[in-house]
Amino acid sequence: MKLKTKLSLGLSFLFIVILVFGILGIFYINRLSNDAAKVLKNNHESLVYCNSMLKALEEIPAKPGAVKVFEENLKKQEANITEPGELEATKEVRTDFSELLAAPWDSSNYPQIRQGLQIINDLNQNAILTKNRVVQNTAADAKLWLTVIFSVLFLITITFIYNFPAIISSPITKLTEGIREIADKNYKKRIYLDQNDEFGELANAFNSMAEKLDEYERSNLAQLRFEKSRIETIINQMKDGIIGFDGKRRILFLNAVAEKLLGVKEADVLGKYSADLAVNNDLMRTLLQENEKKELKIYADKRESYFNKDVLNVTNNNEVIGQVIVLRNITPFHELNEAKTNFIATVSHELKTPISSIKMSAQLLSDNRVGNLNEEQTELIKSISDDSERLLKITSELLNMSQVETGNIQLKLQPVNASDIIQQAVEAVQFKAQQKKITIKTSAAEKLPLVYADIEKTSWVLINFLTNAIKYSPESSSIELGVNATGNKIEFSVRDQGKGIDEKYLPKIFDRYFKVPGTLEREGTGLGLAISKEFIEAQGGSIMVNSEVGMGSRFSFLLNTSV
């Protein structure tokens, strides 16, 4: 039987119960009403008529109108004959009343009239008592039957109320329990309902689903375990430290490298909150910090090692459900970079002395006191001097960069007058500016405070700015060199009238070995601006560039005042 049919039958049963009880109640109420009406109407009226006639009979000698009252009530009584013997008694009263009317002064027949009226009264009173008993019997029968029917219907209804909800709730409870088991991956759960309705069909569908899931679980479990084991083996064989977290930052796994770096065992921390571990573990606390510094120096394998921190988000439907922190071991690259830096520093240092000797020798050869040179020899000497100057500049930049890379920048910070830095830088580039007929215009605000800086390193940066400005400015142009106070900082700026730099190259302009594409100038190493940035930042300052194609460039840096 379908569930819809069961619900329809249940509701129909309730409707029938209400209908039957209502019909029976109405039937017995109408019956009682009719019996009561019979009691009150005819017999009661006869009693009223007889009483009125008895009263009028007593008043006939004194009141002439009493005869008329008697006549009227007698006619009403003659029209209201309902009981056996009542008709004969009424006729006797009529006969006696006629005799009374023939001789009104004769009262000898008064007793016969009273006796006749009394007979009518007795008949109607007995009828009232009889009908009252009938009404009582009817009421008793109605009470009995209604009580019996009510009891039967009450028991049936209680049984219905107790059993019918179970028809609905019991299958739902079993299905809910089964769904919970499936949610907990208990695919062996089955639901058995001996019902040929929608719940039975749903239970069969549920069992089919659970069977399919169980088959799928059993068929893929071995493969999943194999894949899990293989992935764990691969992760543990990696030289990078790998730490996995769930969405609530609880630790899911650590590989062998991560165990060594953190100094913990995977089995001891699985399922723990990373924040709890970070309380007593400095490395974990550092890893959980969301900072921009990605390179970490960690003491591992009895030596200092270097790692890059990469944070990978694990997502599902665009929702982050976990994280993986990968500590990439970059120690070999650090060692190679350090070897490269040492090699460059050594070579640059060793080359600087012979290059300086070549430059000095070229200057001596160009002196007329040594001997006169022809035009071709003069050109050769000039070429040697230029090349030696270029090589000397390159070796100086490489030596400075080696200092930067090794972190051995030697600073002599002291209060310095900004005008001294400007004068030193302008004097160093004045000859090159004159060769291109370029004017260097200096402007400095009055009463500038002393700047807290290394005068040599700062002058080197300013010279580098001016050299680049001269190199890329057209002939017979001008360069603006300015110094201004900005709050508690001093700003040095160099503005040229060159062709400018495309906006897309500005973020890379201070990167090492970067050269703006499209420039015809091949001289230089591309390290000048990178070294300038390191020198300024080492002094606690900042360096900036503003440029627009066709409008020239403005390089500037800020340093703290000595106050």
Side-chain angles (χ1 to χ4, degrees):
M1 186 183 295
K2 298 295 183 181
L3 180 62
K4 182 179 179 181
T5 305
K6 292 180 180 179
L7 290 173
S8 299
L9 290 176
L11 294 175
S12 299
F13 170 74
L14 291 177
F15 175 75
I16 291 171
V17 168
I18 295 170
L19 185 63
V20 168
F21 202 76
I23 291 172
L24 287 174
I26 292 171
F27 170 77
Y28 280 109
I29 288 172
N30 287 333
R31 185 174 173 182
L32 286 172
S33 177
N34 292 332
D35 290 343
K38 290 178 181 179
V39 172
L40 295 175
K41 185 178 179 181
N42 299 326
N43 299 112
H44 181 264
E45 288 176 353
S46 294
L47 291 175
V48 171
Y49 299 152
C50 288
N51 290 332
S52 297
M53 284 187 287
L54 286 172
K55 184 178 180 182
L57 181 64
E58 296 297 331
E59 295 177 349
I60 286 176
K63 293 182 180 180
V67 175
K68 184 179 181 181
V69 173
F70 191 98
E71 178 66 26
E72 290 177 354
N73 283 279
L74 182 58
K75 288 181 179 180
K76 292 178 179 179
Q77 172 58 32
E78 289 173 343
N80 192 35
I81 303 300
T82 58
E83 302 302 327
E86 187 178 3
L87 177 61
E88 291 76 6
T90 302
K91 287 181 179 180
E92 288 293 331
V93 172
R94 167 60 69 181
T95 301
D96 292 335
F97 180 67
S98 298
E99 292 178 357
L100 176 62
L101 290 178
W105 58 90
D106 186 8
S107 58
S108 58
N109 61 346
Y110 278 25
Q112 290 86 352
I113 294 173
R114 289 191 185 95
Q115 184 178 2
L117 292 175
Q118 188 61 45
I119 293 171
I120 295 172
N121 275 338
D122 292 341
L123 290 173
N124 281 282
Q125 286 179 357
N126 291 332
I128 287 174
L129 292 175
T130 302
K131 292 178 179 179
N132 183 54
R133 284 193 295 271
V134 172
V135 170
Q136 289 180 352
N137 292 334
T138 302
D141 292 342
K143 182 177 180 181
L144 174 64
W145 283 108
L146 287 176
T147 301
V148 171
I149 294 171
F150 174 78
S151 300
V152 172
L153 293 179
F154 177 78
L155 293 175
I156 295 174
T157 304
I158 289 296
T159 305
F160 178 80
I161 292 173
Y162 180 78
N163 293 315
F164 188 75
I167 298 174
I168 306 297
S169 63
S170 179
I172 292 177
T173 302
K174 291 182 180 179
L175 287 169
T176 303
E177 181 184 353
I179 291 171
R180 286 200 185 101
E181 292 292 330
I182 293 295
D184 292 335
K185 297 186 178 180
N186 180 17
Y187 302 130
K188 296 187 180 297
K189 178 67 178 178
R190 299 293 183 270
I191 298 175
Y192 299 100
L193 296 177
D194 189 15
Q195 296 179 213
N196 297 321
D197 55 12
E198 288 85 349
F199 284 124
E201 294 175 0
L202 185 58
N204 293 332
F206 177 88
N207 293 337
S208 299
M209 177 193 70
E211 185 177 355
K212 295 294 182 182
L213 289 173
D214 191 26
E215 291 177 2
Y216 180 80
E217 178 75 6
R218 282 187 278 106
S219 65
N220 288 278
L221 185 59
Q223 183 179 357
L224 290 173
R225 287 177 177 172
F226 171 75
E227 292 295 333
K228 180 176 181 291
S229 177
R230 185 175 69 170
I231 291 172
E232 288 177 348
T233 303
I234 293 172
I235 290 176
N236 285 321
Q237 291 299 320
M238 293 178 68
K239 294 183 179 181
D240 299 330
I242 301 177
I243 309 169
F245 306 94
D246 64 8
K248 296 182 178 179
R249 282 291 183 97
R250 287 179 295 202
I251 299 174
L252 294 179
F253 60 85
L254 300 174
N255 70 344
V257 177
E259 286 182 339
K260 290 181 180 179
L261 295 177
L262 292 170
V264 297
K265 293 294 183 181
E266 182 183 39
D268 298 333
V269 297
L270 285 182
K272 291 185 177 181
Y273 285 101
S274 55
D276 295 338
L277 179 61
V279 173
N280 299 315
N281 193 297
D282 294 337
L283 179 55
M284 177 60 75
R285 185 162 56 251
T286 302
L287 294 177
L288 295 179
Q289 293 175 354
E290 297 182 358
N291 49 22
E292 296 182 357
K293 184 179 179 181
K294 293 186 177 181
E295 186 173 303
L296 302 172
K297 184 166 67 173
I298 304 172
Y299 189 80
D301 295 331
K302 298 181 180 181
R303 63 169 184 167
E304 289 185 345
S305 302
Y306 296 87
F307 293 84
N308 267 347
K309 184 184 85 169
D310 290 332
V311 180
L312 309 175
N313 289 328
V314 181
T315 60
N316 183 24
N317 295 327
N318 296 325
E319 180 182 357
V320 177
I321 60 174
Q323 278 188 337
V324 175
I325 294 180
V326 180
L327 294 173
R328 303 189 187 280
N329 193 342
I330 59 171
T331 304
F333 301 101
H334 237 275
E335 292 173 348
L336 290 174
N337 187 57
E338 186 177 351
K340 180 261 299 179
T341 301
N342 293 333
F343 174 76
I344 290 175
T346 301
V347 171
S348 300
H349 181 75
E350 295 297 327
L351 288 177
K352 193 170 185 180
T353 300
I355 291 172
S356 299
S357 299
I358 292 172
K359 182 179 179 182
M360 184 175 293
S361 298
Q363 289 177 350
L364 291 173
L365 288 174
S366 62
D367 194 339
N368 291 332
R369 289 176 295 177
V370 177
N372 294 324
L373 300 175
N374 58 32
E375 185 177 350
E376 185 177 353
Q377 290 172 334
T378 302
E379 290 294 330
L380 289 172
I381 294 299
K382 184 178 182 301
S383 177
I384 292 172
S385 296
D386 292 342
D387 289 340
S388 60
E389 179 70 27
R390 188 179 304 111
L391 288 172
L392 191 61
K393 180 181 178 183
I394 291 172
T395 53
S396 296
E397 287 185 350
L398 290 174
L399 282 172
N400 287 329
M401 181 52 65
S402 65
Q403 289 183 10
V404 169
E405 291 182 344
T406 56
N408 295 325
I409 301 177
Q410 298 178 356
L411 297 175
K412 186 179 180 181
L413 297 174
Q414 58 185 348
V416 181
N417 197 321
S419 59
D420 294 341
I421 300 175
I422 292 175
Q423 183 179 356
Q424 185 174 333
V426 171
E427 289 176 355
V429 299
Q430 191 66 52
F431 179 73
K432 289 184 178 180
Q434 290 174 355
Q435 287 180 325
K436 292 186 69 173
K437 300 178 182 181
I438 293 175
T439 303
I440 299 177
K441 299 178 180 180
T442 60
S443 62
E446 296 181 357
K447 298 181 180 180
L448 284 172
L450 297 178
V451 61
Y452 191 65
D454 183 317
I455 188 170
E456 291 186 3
K457 297 291 189 295
T458 307
S459 298
W460 189 95
V461 174
L462 207 54
I463 291 170
N464 187 64
F465 283 0
L466 290 170
T467 301
N468 289 338
I470 293 170
K471 184 187 300 183
Y472 295 108
S473 294
E475 292 187 3
S476 303
S477 60
S478 62
I479 296 173
E480 298 176 5
L481 173 58
V483 184
N484 295 289
T486 305
N488 61 343
K489 295 183 180 294
I490 300 296
E491 182 186 35
F492 295 81
S493 63
V494 175
R495 181 186 294 276
D496 60 45
Q497 298 179 7
K499 63 180 181 179
I501 305 170
D502 197 321
E503 184 179 359
K504 63 183 178 181
Y505 300 123
L506 293 179
K508 299 180 180 179
I509 200 70
F510 294 107
D511 291 350
R512 299 175 188 178
Y513 309 109
F514 178 77
K515 293 182 180 181
V516 177
T519 56
L520 299 176
E521 183 63 51
R522 296 184 179 179
E523 296 181 3
T525 59
L527 293 173
L529 292 177
I531 295 172
S532 298
K533 182 175 183 291
E534 297 290 344
F535 281 174
I536 295 301
E537 291 182 351
Q539 299 178 70
S542 58
I543 193 167
M544 297 145 296
V545 59
N546 299 99
S547 185
E548 187 177 347
V549 176
M551 302 297 291
S553 302
R554 183 180 184 272
F555 286 84
S556 61
F557 59 86
L558 293 171
L559 291 176
N560 296 320
T561 61
S562 60
V563 179

